[in-house]
Amino acid sequence: MKRRDLIKTGLGTGIALGASASLPARVFAQPMPGSPRDRELFAIAKRELDKAGDVIWRKDIVGIADYGLHSAERRFHFVNLDAQEVKSFHVSHGTGSDPEHDGWLNMFSNVEGSNATSRGAYITWEWYTGKFGTSVRLGGLDETNSHALQRYIVMHRASYAEPSHIERWGRLGRSNGCFALGEEQFKIALLNLSGGRLLYAEALGLKEDGTRAYPPQTIVGEPENGYHILRQPRQETFEQTNPGVS
């Protein structure tokens, strides 16, 4: 039974028993809890769930990786739609997305060998044991991340994604395009974001007060050589990180 059908059934039962007669109509107009940023994250999570449809079979928690923020920020948001709360963690982006290694994502790519982060919606699949130990397979649901499985884009733990790395270097290390988290944060992800849930990656730049971080260029049109460019990296560092790509 769908959620909306369950709600309808519950309301119908309540009316039949006379239980709902005392409920004020304005209860449905109450403002959502949380900060302005959290309220926007709730809206994005619901929008992406609606877009994905029945492909996603666990719709209680949605992960939103906001790559419009610096890697030193807690930009990986676990949006709990049932509890109406948001918990935020650190997450790395790909080497090919940040050739200067300054902590800012410059570009997204879906190209094999780019070592870049891909934007779009993913479904989280099963756990498996790989190079970084226990990891979570991901399936890309959009044209912008459709090669996630063949690129081995997964969610895993990494020492360069620990908060201590930020304390030392002022930023996280970079992955090969995967969603890399610190040890304790990855354990939370295993329990709360695997097994058929939605993970969404985009450069939103959302600060807690609802304002935006330094805005990247708006992504429009077709990708350039397979890259969606947000900020132009220095050409020499781009060539070092992406040999053979002009």
Side-chain angles (χ1 to χ4, degrees):
M1 178 180 291
K2 293 183 179 180
R3 188 184 185 90
R4 62 173 62 93
D5 296 329
L6 183 62
I7 292 173
K8 289 178 181 178
T9 302
L11 287 176
T13 303
I15 292 172
L17 295 175
S20 65
S22 61
L23 289 176
R26 70 179 60 186
V27 69
F28 299 105
Q30 291 297 314
M32 294 176 66
S35 67
R37 179 205 64 190
D38 292 353
R39 291 194 289 273
E40 187 159 353
L41 290 173
F42 290 137
I44 293 170
K46 292 176 181 177
R47 181 195 73 198
E48 293 302 317
L49 282 174
D50 287 343
K51 180 181 174 183
D54 292 339
V55 172
I56 304 298
W57 64 86
R58 302 182 73 176
K59 301 185 179 185
D60 53 346
I61 300 175
V62 173
I64 299 179
D66 183 357
Y67 287 117
L69 297 175
H70 191 269
S71 68
E73 301 290 333
R74 292 180 177 269
R75 57 184 182 172
F76 195 15
H77 309 296
F78 288 18
V79 183
N80 190 320
L81 295 171
D82 287 349
Q84 287 289 288
E85 67 178 12
V86 175
K87 294 183 179 180
S88 303
F89 307 95
H90 294 106
V91 66
S92 291
H93 54 241
T95 302
S97 291
D98 178 12
E100 284 117 349
H101 199 3
D102 61 3
W104 289 100
L105 181 143
N106 290 321
M107 62 197 76
F108 292 108
S109 181
N110 191 32
V111 175
E112 279 195 81
S114 67
N115 292 328
T117 296
S118 297
R119 60 195 286 251
Y122 300 78
I123 180 173
T124 64
W125 284 332
E126 78 281 5
W127 306 359
Y128 75 101
T129 302
K131 177 181 177 181
F132 293 94
T134 302
S135 304
V136 179
R137 296 189 197 278
L138 302 174
L141 302 180
D142 294 322
E143 291 184 3
T144 52
N145 63 1
S146 58
H147 297 157
L149 190 61
Q150 65 201 63
R151 290 182 61 207
Y152 299 99
I153 301 302
V154 301
M155 189 163 54
H156 65 75
R157 60 169 59 82
S159 59
Y160 57 76
E162 294 287 351
S164 59
H165 198 282
I166 298 173
E167 294 172 7
R168 182 175 182 183
W169 301 105
R171 61 185 184 276
L172 294 181
R174 301 168 296 174
S175 69
N176 288 333
C178 295
F179 297 82
L181 299 91
E183 176 71 26
E184 294 304 314
Q185 297 179 339
F186 181 70
K187 290 178 181 177
I188 297 172
L190 277 180
L191 295 175
N192 293 277
L193 203 57
S194 60
R197 292 186 172 93
L198 181 73
L199 169 56
Y200 180 65
E202 185 56 277
L204 303 167
L206 285 174
K207 294 184 178 181
E208 191 166 358
D209 62 2
T211 61
R212 302 272 175 169
Y214 173 68
Q217 299 175 8
T218 301
I219 298 175
V220 294
E222 297 298 318
E224 179 181 347
N225 295 318
Y227 290 81
H228 283 109
I229 309 296
L230 286 87
R231 301 178 177 89
Q232 288 290 346
R234 293 191 301 272
Q235 185 61 31
E236 62 274 17
T237 54
F238 178 75
E239 291 172 350
Q240 290 170 7
T241 310
N242 301 270
V245 178
S246 59

